[in-house]
């Protein structure tokens, strides 16, 4: 049967062999690919601003003609392209690749320019986004109120006639010729239930909308498709998982678990107890557990994981806990070791840096089942590590691991229960998508008596004042951290900054105190020693790189100074701040920033000063960075979305998800959906991606 997906682009009317080759190089290989090649943006009267009406700071689009283009030499050469629209002039400025950009503009041609308006001897936009309008006619068209779709093009595409205008014409013709091949991808019930337009209608309207309403309904329909099929795959994945009855059914909450809980020098919070009940319910079931525990920094996830491990051990199974860094693994080891050995459960640490002999012995004990609990880094999933009977696999700070690493730990046992933990709270809409196949537990309560950390920012020129303050506090018996960023490109520099500061202040400004240094290049023994000294208050001040970002837990430390705070991302700042505010005393976090701040950096710093709420912070972070970057969505096995944005389109996402999860529960409905969707290659691609990355 002929369908959009099985018609080669070469045989689409008006394409031919040569042009097909160029399209293929741009991932347009079939008629379906072409029809799903959506405009990058739309221009119309409502989205275009007259230069006369520009305001500084606005994100805007201007349509006009190139008046002049020249390279201005100076301290740094720059390209200035002047655009006029009859109401005024706008300068477009490039500081990089100026010869390349210069070639993109010819005097007299029409362009649309988008970006943030600045003012510097007149309005200007630096490094704008631009589209060429193929003829002055476009501009006229726009002015008559018609919506003009703009397609992405490249030099190679343009040479073959696929400019924005070329695509416009091609798609118009193609849709008219082949519209009968566009078969509906969704069942009728869903279409009417969600008030959607047909796929055929949507594809036409996305390419040449007559009104804003037409465009909006086309976008809604196509976004719904994307999100529905994405969620459908997640729903299938989860259903398969659920259907498995070959997991371990743990039976007894033993005596040692009770003893351990009594031994703790604190009461578990209500949230911790609730999450433990949820975990225990999963553990009893014959379905393998696949649960995410989300909890803000300091909410006490470790003890929850520890108890889950103990419950597994009491049932005769081994438990393993994997952490992303050696420092964190060591910290966990100290905690877990101390508590579990008190109830006679042997614990081992397994990290990369172990001496050969110690490692061999640990491996033998793990394989033989003498050691029941192992804490470590990805050393836990190396091929030569064999477990006697791993029944509980825990992954801490799971967002630091890839899907494959998680799966590798799971495969060390026979259908073990899996618990993944994250301190990066993810906005609900995102977690629904990323973890659609996981059950989620949330520790939404901090241990009693925690005081929010007071956060302030200080100009780096006032660093002296900050250090004076730290000195005064140390004199009162406080402990403090001073952290230097570790940005990949300049790892060495940052390390040097930490080292130099350490050398300088140890015998200088802070000479009356004991100062320690901690960074990633130290051996694990050295790191452990320093951490232990800081924990036992032998050290007053710890100068560190971001190795302390996760997990480090010293309740008496109440001051966190973050150098170059403007260079950190929000999540990282929040994690770092989470190192203080862990005890009863009020804590302070001081962000030292190098001014002037970019607007994004200012937003990050302000957000930190305004709130301690990790969920709020994650939301702002997501807004600033966008979903793709925020969470490296690819590593979670998500297909790329063309239109939908899981943040901005959360209402559609919720509907699509609900519909998808309902459909998989009804075998008949599910088969009907499959029958329709299978005609589309985009669906097959989703499927492949999801299967490839299936955790189960
Ligand atoms: P995170 O959720 O960030 O991993 P941790 O598990 O490291 O947090 O816990 C932070 C600190 O809080 C630890 O010192 C831990 O012992 C302590 N803690 C955990 N639960 C409680 C509780 N219910 N009451 C008091 N302190 C707690
Ligand atoms: Mg933790």
């Amino acid at each position: 049967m002929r369908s959009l997906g099985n018609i080669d682009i070469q045989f689409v009317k008006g394409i031919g062999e040569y042009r097909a080759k160029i399209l293929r190089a741009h991932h347009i290989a079939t008629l379906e690919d072409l029809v799903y090649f959506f405009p990058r943006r739309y221009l119309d009267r409502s989205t275009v601003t007259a230069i006369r009406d520009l305001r500084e700071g606005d994100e805007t689009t201007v349509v006009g003609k190139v008046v002049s283009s020249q390279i201005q030499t100076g301290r740094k050469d720059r390209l200035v392209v002047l655009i006029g629209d009859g109401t005024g002039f706008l300068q477009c400025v490039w500081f990089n690749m100026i010869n390349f950009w210069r070639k993109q503009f010819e005097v007299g041609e029409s362009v649309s320019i988008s970006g943030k308006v600045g003012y510097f001897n007149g309005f200007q936009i630096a490094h704008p986004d631009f589209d060429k309008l193929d003829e002055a006619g476009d501009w006229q068209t726009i002015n008559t109120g018609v919506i003009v779709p703009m397609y992405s093009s490249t030099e190679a595409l343009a040479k073959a006639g696929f400019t924005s205008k070329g695509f416009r014409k091609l798609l118009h013709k193609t849709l008219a010729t082949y519209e009968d091949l566009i078969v509906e991808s969704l069942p009728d019930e869903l279409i009417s239930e969600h008030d959607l337009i047909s796929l055929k209608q949507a594809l036409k309207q996305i390419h040449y909308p007559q009104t804003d309403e037409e465009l909006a309904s086309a976008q809604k329909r196509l976004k719904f498709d994307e999100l529905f099929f994405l969620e459908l795959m997640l729903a299938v994945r989860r259903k398969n998982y659920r259907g498995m009855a070959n997991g371990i059914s743990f039976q007894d909450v033993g005596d040692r678990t009770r003893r351990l809980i009594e031994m703790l020098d604190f009461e578990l919070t209500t949230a911790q107890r609730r999450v433990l009940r949820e975990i225990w319910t999963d553990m009893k079931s014959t379905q393998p557990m696949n649960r995410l525990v989300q909890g803000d920094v300091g909410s006490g996830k470790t003890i929850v994981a520890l108890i889950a491990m103990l419950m597994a051990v009491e049932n005769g199974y081994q438990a393993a806990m994997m952490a992303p860094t050696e420092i964190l693994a060591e910290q966990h080891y100290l905690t877990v070791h101390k508590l579990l050995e008190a109830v006679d459960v042997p614990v081992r640490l397994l990290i990369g840096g172990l001496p050969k002999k110690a490692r061999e012995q640990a491996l033998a004990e793990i394989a033989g089942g003498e050691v029941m609990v192992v804490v470590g880094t990805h050393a836990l999933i190396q091929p030569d590590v064999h477990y006697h009977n791993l029944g509980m696999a825990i992954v801490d700070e799971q967002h630091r691991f890839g899907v494959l690493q998680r799966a590798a730990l799971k495969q060390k046992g026979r259908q073990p229960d899996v618990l993944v933990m994250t301190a990066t709270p993810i906005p609900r809409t995102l977690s629904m998508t990323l973890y659609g196949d996981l059950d989620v537990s949330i520790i939404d309560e901090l241990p009693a008596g925690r005081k929010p950390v007071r956060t302030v920012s200080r100009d780096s020129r006032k660093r002296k004042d900050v250090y004076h303050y730290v000195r005064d506090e140390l004199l009162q018996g406080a402990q403090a951290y001073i952290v230097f960023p570790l940005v990949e490109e300049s790892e060495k520099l940052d390390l040097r900054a930490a080292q130099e500061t350490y050398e300088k202040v140890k015998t200088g400004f802070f000479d009356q105190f004991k100062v320690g240094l901690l960074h990633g290049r130290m051996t694990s023994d050295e790191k452990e020693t320093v951490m232990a000294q800081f924990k036992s208050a032998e050290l007053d001040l710890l100068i560190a790189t971001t190795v302390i970002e996760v997990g480090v837990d010293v309740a008496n430390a109440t001051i966190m100074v973050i150098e170059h705070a403007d260079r950190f991302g929000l999540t990282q700042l929040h994690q770092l701040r989470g190192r203080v505010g862990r005890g009863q005393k009020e804590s302070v976090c001081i962000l030292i920033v190098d001014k002037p701040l970019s607007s994004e950096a200012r937003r990050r710093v302000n957000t930190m000063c305004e709130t301690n709420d990790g969920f709020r912070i994650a939301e702002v972070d997501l807004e600033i960075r966008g979903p793709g970057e925020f969470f490296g969505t690819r590593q979670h096995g998500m297909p790329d979305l063309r239109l939908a944005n899981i943040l901005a389109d959360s209402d559609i996402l919720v509907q699509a998800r609900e519909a998808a999860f309902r459909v998989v529960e009804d075998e008949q409905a599910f088969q009907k959906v499959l029958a329709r969707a299978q005609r589309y290659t985009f669906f097959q691609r989703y499927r492949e991606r999801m299967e490839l990355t299936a955790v189960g």
Side-chain angles (χ1 to χ4, degrees):
M1 193 178 67
R2 264 155 58 97
S3 73
L4 292 179
N6 64 19
I7 295 182
D8 192 308
I9 194 70
Q10 184 173 338
F11 305 111
V12 170
K13 258 205 179 114
I15 301 280
E17 199 179 326
Y18 163 72
R19 304 213 312 158
K21 217 164 102 187
I22 288 157
L23 287 174
R24 267 188 221 111
H26 290 80
H27 307 289
I28 300 176
T30 65
L31 178 57
E32 181 185 320
D33 293 333
L34 178 63
V35 170
Y36 276 81
F37 183 69
F38 301 143
R40 190 163 65 89
R41 51 188 310 204
Y42 300 85
L43 291 179
D44 73 5
R45 221 169 11 193
S46 68
T47 50
V48 174
T49 310
I51 293 174
R52 176 179 60 207
D53 298 330
L54 290 180
R55 274 189 328 214
E56 199 183 341
D58 283 356
E59 287 284 346
T60 195
T61 298
V62 161
V63 168
K65 281 194 175 149
V66 178
V67 178
S68 68
S69 134
Q70 56 182 186
I71 290 176
Q72 297 182 349
T73 51
R75 203 155 49 89
K76 195 165 187 323
D77 290 356
R78 53 197 205 135
L79 169 69
V80 179
V81 175
L82 196 65
I83 309 290
D85 73 347
T87 74
F89 297 97
L90 169 71
Q91 296 177 42
C92 302
V93 189
W94 282 264
F95 298 97
N96 303 320
M97 303 203 308
I98 55 182
N99 286 313
F100 170 81
W101 293 117
R102 176 173 201 173
K103 280 188 225 138
Q104 310 298 313
F105 294 93
E106 265 173 57
V107 170
E109 73 178 342
S110 299
V111 287
S112 89
I113 298 283
S114 304
K116 190 163 178 172
V117 182
Y119 194 88
F120 185 79
N121 290 336
F123 288 118
Q124 74 168 34
I125 299 182
H127 290 236
D129 232 16
F130 65 90
D131 282 299
K132 296 188 177 214
L133 307 181
D134 291 279
E135 46 179 303
D138 275 343
W139 190 7
Q140 247 75 64
T141 321
I142 291 163
N143 274 317
T144 57
V146 173
I147 301 173
V148 180
M150 304 300 300
Y151 294 86
S152 299
S153 181
T154 64
E155 201 174 331
L157 281 171
K159 269 195 190 136
F162 301 117
T163 56
S164 188
K165 183 180 171 195
F167 273 119
R168 210 143 63 216
K169 283 190 170 156
L170 174 64
L171 275 151
H172 212 287
K173 212 171 69 195
T174 304
L175 281 162
T177 313
Y178 297 97
E179 70 172 288
D180 290 340
L181 289 182
I182 303 176
V183 288
E184 187 46 59
S185 59
L186 288 179
D188 303 337
E189 298 84 53
L190 277 183
I191 294 177
S192 57
E193 184 183 343
H194 293 278
D195 205 15
L196 300 170
I197 60 174
S198 72
L199 181 63
K200 186 189 289 188
Q201 201 63 32
L203 287 172
K204 286 192 204 166
Q205 286 176 202
I206 197 93
H207 287 292
Y208 36 95
Q210 302 299 310
T211 61
D212 289 348
E213 292 72 40
E214 281 195 11
L215 178 57
S217 57
Q219 283 170 332
K220 180 180 168 198
R221 163 62 213 248
L222 294 165
K223 286 174 180 178
F224 188 92
D225 265 32
E226 281 186 343
L227 296 169
F228 174 76
F229 289 115
L230 173 68
E231 292 295 333
L232 191 70
M233 292 297 95
L234 288 168
V236 169
R237 208 196 250 186
R238 176 148 97 163
K239 191 171 180 215
N240 291 342
Y241 212 92
R242 289 264 160 113
M244 278 194 265
N246 55 351
I248 304 162
S249 171
F250 295 91
Q251 297 295 333
D252 314 308
V253 186
D255 184 45
R256 285 185 286 185
T257 305
R258 276 189 213 99
R259 257 165 57 209
L260 180 110
I261 293 177
E262 274 166 25
M263 244 167 53
L264 296 174
D265 49 18
F266 51 74
E267 293 274 308
L268 293 175
T269 61
T270 313
Q272 283 170 320
R273 272 180 290 157
R274 188 190 62 236
V275 170
L276 273 169
R277 269 199 307 278
E278 287 163 0
I279 292 172
W280 180 238
T281 306
D282 284 0
M283 286 178 71
K284 279 191 293 190
S285 152
T286 51
Q287 291 162 13
M289 171 165 77
N290 200 24
R291 183 169 288 278
L292 170 76
V293 174
Q294 237 180 281
D296 204 346
V297 175
S299 62
K301 293 180 293 296
T302 315
I303 189 69
V304 168
L306 188 150
I307 292 170
M309 293 202 288
L310 181 54
M311 294 193 297
V313 172
E314 296 231 64
N315 286 271
Y317 286 92
Q318 287 177 308
M321 183 177 192
M322 182 163 74
T325 65
E326 290 197 355
I327 291 226
L328 183 52
E330 281 154 9
Q331 282 257 322
H332 281 334
Y333 173 69
L334 292 179
T335 312
V336 173
H337 180 262
K338 193 178 86 194
L339 289 169
L340 288 189
E341 305 235 320
V343 291
D344 304 318
V345 176
V347 182
R348 283 291 173 275
L349 174 69
L350 198 59
I351 53 179
L354 286 188
K356 192 160 179 262
K357 244 186 141 177
R359 179 181 163 81
E360 273 167 10
Q361 194 191 339
L363 291 190
E365 289 167 340
I366 295 166
E370 292 117 69
V371 159
M372 295 307 281
V373 174
V374 199
V375 177
T377 54
H378 49 267
L380 293 178
I381 54 174
Q382 298 313 304
D384 60 343
V385 185
H386 302 286
Y387 295 80
H388 178 63
N389 63 349
L390 182 65
M392 173 65 65
I394 295 183
V395 182
D396 192 20
E397 307 292 343
Q398 68 84 33
H399 56 281
R400 299 286 200 94
F401 291 100
V403 180
L404 295 179
Q405 286 167 306
R406 261 186 282 157
L409 182 59
K410 186 178 153 68
Q411 269 145 27
K412 293 286 183 184
R414 228 181 291 124
Q415 301 295 349
D417 278 358
V418 175
L419 191 63
V420 300
M421 307 197 291
T422 185
T424 301
I426 313 145
R428 224 181 98 70
T429 48
L430 191 55
S431 69
M432 260 173 24
T433 316
L434 292 180
Y435 306 121
D437 55 336
L438 296 184
D439 295 301
V440 179
S441 287
I442 303 179
I443 307 185
D444 49 4
E445 179 187 358
L446 293 180
R450 288 281 165 83
K451 303 205 177 63
V453 179
R454 198 161 54 86
T455 305
V456 294
S457 73
R458 290 288 177 264
D459 192 320
S460 54
R461 281 167 294 195
K462 296 270 166 65
R463 179 175 286 114
K464 257 265 135 63
D465 296 351
V466 174
Y467 281 31
H468 271 287
Y469 168 80
V470 173
R471 192 160 66 179
D472 290 346
E473 290 293 313
L474 294 185
L475 278 172
Q476 315 266 329
Q479 286 178 281
Y481 299 96
I482 299 180
V483 180
F484 287 81
L486 206 58
V487 184
E488 246 159 76
E489 314 91 69
S490 59
E491 196 174 324
K492 281 205 193 106
L493 279 181
D494 293 316
L495 192 58
R496 215 176 58 209
Q499 254 157 352
E500 275 172 7
T501 304
Y502 168 70
E503 301 294 344
K504 217 165 71 193
V505 303
K506 173 172 76 157
T507 52
F509 196 80
F510 290 110
D511 63 352
Q512 69 220 91
F513 303 103
K514 299 214 188 56
V515 185
L517 174 69
L518 189 69
H519 59 74
R521 299 278 176 83
M522 293 160 59
T523 68
S524 42
D525 275 354
E526 290 167 344
K527 280 186 279 190
E528 204 173 324
T529 310
V530 172
M531 277 316 298
Q533 285 174 338
F534 191 61
K535 202 158 183 160
S536 64
E538 276 167 63
L539 294 174
D540 306 298
L541 174 64
L542 190 61
I543 311 245
T545 58
T546 45
V547 287
I548 64 154
E549 183 188 336
V550 284
V552 172
D553 182 29
V554 179
N556 191 49
T558 51
I559 299 168
M560 167 65 66
V561 177
I562 305 178
E563 292 276 0
H564 308 288
D566 47 302
R567 285 163 58 181
F568 287 100
L570 260 179
T571 312
Q572 220 180 359
L573 288 174
H574 182 58
Q575 289 267 5
L576 282 170
R577 178 170 62 183
R579 298 313 110 214
V580 293
R582 301 198 146 222
Q584 300 298 320
K585 274 188 278 177
E586 166 144 318
S587 296
V588 177
C589 173
I590 304 171
L591 308 173
I592 298 188
V593 298
D594 302 303
K595 291 192 169 167
L597 295 178
S598 70
S599 61
E600 267 185 24
R602 197 172 327 123
R603 180 141 190 240
R604 290 196 299 263
V605 169
N606 289 345
T607 304
M608 286 297 293
C609 295
E610 279 158 20
T611 183
N612 276 283
D613 177 352
F615 282 83
R616 177 68 200 129
I617 287 170
E619 258 162 27
V620 175
D621 199 21
L622 184 55
E623 272 169 41
I624 293 178
R625 291 199 286 160
E629 258 196 68
F630 177 81
F631 236 74
T633 37
R634 278 186 156 257
Q635 96 166 11
H636 291 273
M638 292 295 136
D640 295 322
L641 299 170
R642 288 170 202 254
L643 282 180
N645 173 320
I646 44 184
L647 190 58
D649 300 313
S650 61
D651 49 339
I652 304 179
L653 175 63
V654 171
Q655 290 177 33
R657 176 178 171 80
E658 189 272 324
F661 275 69
R662 192 152 34 92
V663 162
V664 294
E665 289 311 318
D666 175 349
E667 191 56 32
Q668 226 181 343
F670 181 56
Q671 290 306 332
K672 226 163 101 183
V673 167
L674 279 189
R676 287 198 165 179
Q678 256 151 2
R679 296 202 198 97
Y680 285 88
T681 37
F682 77 78
F683 178 71
Q684 285 151 25
R685 278 181 208 148
Y686 266 33
R687 205 159 163 168
E688 276 164 27
R689 251 200 103 72
M690 297 295 281
E691 272 165 15
L692 254 166
T693 54
V695 187

